Amino acid sequence: MGKNPKLINELDTHNLEILEEEEQLKIFGIDTSDLSRRYKINNKDFDVFYQFLITVHALFAGLTIDIHYLIHYDETPLLPQLLSDLVVGDKQIIGGIFSNYQGVYQSLANERSALIPELFLDLAHSLSHLSDQSWAREQLNSSVRYWLSLRGVTKDSNTFLDLLEATRSFLTLQDKDYLEKLKQFLARLGDTEGVRKVASLLSETVELQKKADDFYNGGIYHLENGNYERSIADFEQAQSYRHPDASRMLVEVRKQQDMAVLAKQLEELERQRLEQEKRQQEQQAAEQAKLQAQKQQEVKPAASSLVSLKSAVGMDYRKLQDLLAAGKWKEADEETNRVMLAIAKREFWGFLDVESIDHFPCEDLRTIDQLWVKYSNGRFGFSVQKRIYQGLGGTLLTYNKQIWEKFGDKVGWRLFWSWLGYKDITFDKAAPEGHLPVAPVEAPGGTRLVSGWGVVFVRGGRFRGLSSLTLISRRNF
């Protein structure tokens, strides 16, 4: 084998002779597999063998641990980074180790395919320490090919630069870290052309980043201005450029859009409810006004018209009109009493008798009644009292005590079966219908009772004052 026996020891010489003999037999075509070989070994050989076993054990233990952490925790294998120190130039061992890694990577392809390109790149980086760079180049090619296959590209070319160029059409922002790592590795290998190519690809990712940011910022702007459709369109564009926050913002915008739609629907329902409520209120108000107008019309069709202050005897009714217009009901009642006594010339007696009622001017009686009806909106007046009296069954010139008491109850002149004193009269528009006008008369004993231009019964069955029964039953208004 070209070795000088003088330069090696006796054991090595013996072992070399056996090897040379075996090689000669092989040259002549003799099968040496069944031959016994009597090699001579010493302690040094055992030390080398022990070191070999330790190395192999460490390698496969490290391989097992790497595979465990890769499968369960997505941790990048560490053993490849140590191979150059553990194994020096033993291609068989190196090939066995990397064959195992490649098998594991292929088994992960279905579940964690996105990790495979970088895992192959890490293997290549670990092999770059070896003097033979073909191992590293092989893993590098596998990394880029797998990256392309993930994007549906199958490249037949074996030129690494062609593979790099093929990646240009499929770059996204998420590939920036991979390209940076690839660039560093090529620089370590001294591949200037490869570094230049990857730098060109990185410049394109910068442009992609700018476009993604522009669309993303546009989405934010439209979102802040409530333009959800435009915001969604911009975020979808940013998502197509793989902006890291675009997907999250799309979810947020659609959520806000749904809330805005719901709020608008609720607002529309509330508007419709308020409109319906307003229409109902207007309808109710119109119906009430119509009923009130009908009621006033029934009481006195001319109540809403201007009252002509006519008088057959020249009586001035302006004071009475002013008092009624001002809502001074007690003063108006007293003024009514004054003018009626003055017209009948009964001031001295302080009441009207039947004869003075029969001869009381119709024109003046109508003027007084119309003033009360007008300014009370049809609640007070002689004609109102007459309508109530007749509605209870009262008839002309016929006195019925029960009907008259019911009338007193109805218009609020009686309380608990007793006729009220003048001081207990309610001088307010809220008083019962027909409550006014009334007039005080003096009963025996000096008590001021209500005549109401009506009958006040005192002891002995006699009545004093102007008979309202006579007035409202015998006169027309």
Side-chain angles (χ1 to χ4, degrees):
M1 294 181 65
K3 299 290 184 180
N4 186 352
K6 295 180 179 180
L7 300 179
I8 55 177
N9 59 38
E10 180 181 351
L11 290 177
D12 289 339
T13 301
H14 175 76
N15 292 336
L16 284 174
E17 289 176 352
I18 294 175
L19 286 174
E20 288 176 350
E21 181 181 355
E22 184 177 353
E23 288 178 0
Q24 289 294 326
L25 292 173
K26 287 181 180 179
I27 292 173
F28 289 106
I30 299 174
D31 185 6
T32 61
S33 58
D34 294 330
L35 294 177
S36 60
R37 302 173 182 81
R38 299 181 180 276
Y39 293 108
K40 293 182 179 182
I41 57 177
N42 56 20
N43 291 335
K44 179 182 178 182
D45 294 323
F46 279 107
D47 290 340
V48 173
F49 179 67
Y50 294 153
Q51 185 62 46
F52 172 78
L53 290 178
I54 292 171
T55 301
V56 172
H57 176 78
L59 289 173
F60 281 94
L63 175 65
T64 303
I65 293 172
D66 270 353
I67 293 173
H68 172 79
Y69 278 91
L70 173 62
I71 292 175
H72 296 287
Y73 303 102
D74 288 337
E75 292 288 343
T76 302
L78 298 178
L79 179 59
Q81 301 175 24
L82 306 175
L83 281 178
S84 61
D85 296 327
L86 293 174
V87 181
V88 181
D90 196 327
K91 294 184 178 181
Q92 187 174 2
I93 294 178
I94 294 174
I97 294 295
F98 279 92
S99 178
N100 276 278
Y101 279 117
Q102 289 174 341
V104 173
Y105 294 168
Q106 293 298 332
S107 67
L108 294 175
N110 292 331
E111 297 180 0
R112 281 169 275 187
S113 58
L115 295 177
I116 306 302
E118 290 205 30
L119 289 174
F120 274 120
L121 191 57
D122 289 337
L123 279 180
H125 187 274
S126 301
L127 293 169
S128 64
H129 299 85
L130 301 177
S131 58
D132 186 358
Q133 293 187 350
S134 62
W135 294 85
R137 285 285 183 179
E138 180 182 347
Q139 304 307 316
L140 181 61
N141 285 350
S142 297
S143 175
V144 178
R145 285 183 185 279
Y146 201 92
W147 187 97
L148 289 170
S149 69
L150 291 177
R151 289 144 182 86
V153 180
T154 302
K155 196 69 174 174
D156 296 330
S157 175
N158 292 324
T159 304
F160 179 68
L161 293 179
D162 289 343
L163 293 176
L164 286 179
E165 184 60 32
T167 65
R168 190 180 299 275
S169 302
F170 305 96
L171 291 175
T172 66
L173 294 180
Q174 293 180 343
D175 299 317
K176 184 178 180 180
D177 291 341
Y178 175 75
L179 292 175
E180 289 285 1
K181 186 181 290 188
L182 185 59
K183 181 182 175 183
Q184 292 174 7
F185 176 68
L186 291 172
R188 182 166 188 165
L189 293 180
D191 189 344
T192 306
E193 188 63 28
V195 171
R196 187 181 299 112
K197 177 69 73 174
V198 174
S200 173
L201 297 175
L202 281 170
S203 66
E204 291 201 9
T205 63
V206 173
E207 291 298 320
L208 293 175
Q209 180 73 59
K210 184 178 182 302
K211 290 180 180 179
D213 289 342
D214 288 343
F215 281 116
Y216 182 83
N217 293 332
I220 294 293
Y221 172 80
H222 292 303
L223 175 61
E224 292 175 347
N225 287 276
N227 192 340
Y228 298 108
E229 294 299 332
R230 288 290 302 278
S231 180
I232 289 174
D234 280 352
F235 281 131
E236 286 178 343
Q237 286 292 333
Q239 186 183 46
S240 69
Y241 285 103
R242 304 294 182 89
H243 192 286
D245 296 324
S247 298
R248 177 180 60 82
M249 290 306 301
L250 272 173
V251 173
E252 180 65 24
V253 174
R254 291 191 173 106
K255 179 181 177 181
Q256 291 191 28
Q257 185 183 38
D258 292 341
M259 293 177 63
V261 170
L262 179 60
K264 190 173 182 180
Q265 291 174 345
L266 293 175
E267 183 180 353
E268 177 62 20
L269 289 175
E270 179 66 11
R271 185 189 66 79
Q272 293 177 2
R273 185 189 69 79
L274 292 175
E275 286 186 356
Q276 183 178 5
E277 185 177 290
K278 181 180 179 181
R279 286 194 298 268
Q280 290 176 347
Q281 291 175 350
E282 291 175 348
Q283 184 177 0
Q284 291 175 358
E287 291 176 354
Q288 290 178 357
K290 183 178 180 181
L291 290 174
Q292 186 67 23
Q294 290 175 349
K295 189 174 183 180
Q296 292 180 10
Q297 187 68 19
E298 292 173 0
V299 172
K300 191 69 177 180
S304 60
S305 61
L306 292 175
V307 177
S308 178
L309 303 182
K310 295 180 180 180
S311 174
V313 295
M315 178 59 67
D316 186 357
Y317 292 106
R318 287 178 295 179
K319 182 178 179 180
L320 176 60
Q321 184 180 40
D322 292 342
L323 291 172
L324 289 170
K328 297 181 178 181
W329 305 108
K330 183 176 181 181
E331 292 86 342
D333 187 72
E334 293 172 347
E335 177 66 8
T336 300
N337 184 49
R338 185 190 70 77
V339 297
M340 292 188 73
L341 290 175
I343 291 172
K345 295 182 171 47
R346 298 281 297 180
E347 296 98 326
F348 176 76
W349 290 274
F351 64 93
L352 301 181
D353 57 12
V354 174
E355 181 180 357
S356 61
I357 291 175
D358 286 340
H359 292 90
F360 199 91
C362 292
E363 195 170 28
D364 288 80
L365 191 61
R366 186 175 295 109
T367 297
I368 296 171
D369 178 61
Q370 289 179 356
L371 285 171
W372 276 94
V373 171
K374 172 180 173 58
Y375 290 106
S376 67
N377 291 328
R379 294 188 58 80
F380 304 142
F382 301 135
S383 59
V384 177
Q385 293 170 349
K386 180 178 180 180
R387 172 174 56 79
I388 295 173
Y389 174 72
Q390 290 179 338
L392 294 171
T395 59
L396 299 177
L397 301 179
T398 301
Y399 170 68
N400 184 306
K401 180 181 179 183
Q402 290 182 345
I403 293 177
W404 185 248
E405 288 178 346
K406 287 182 180 179
F407 173 78
D409 293 336
K410 184 72 173 177
V411 300
W413 292 351
R414 273 171 40 103
L415 184 65
F416 302 120
W417 305 283
S418 299
W419 293 88
L420 299 179
Y422 189 71
K423 65 182 179 61
D424 297 319
I425 291 298
T426 302
F427 291 101
D428 190 276
K429 198 173 182 178
E433 190 178 24
H435 192 68
L436 300 174
V438 299
V441 297
E442 295 292 334
T447 304
R448 290 173 63 83
L449 300 177
V450 173
S451 79
W453 308 103
V455 177
V456 178
F457 291 92
V458 295
R459 285 174 296 179
R462 299 179 63 188
F463 60 87
R464 176 183 176 85
L466 173 62
S467 173
S468 197
L469 174 64
T470 304
L471 177 64
I472 65 177
S473 64
R474 294 182 60 167
R475 303 305 299 269
N476 293 322
F477 306 99

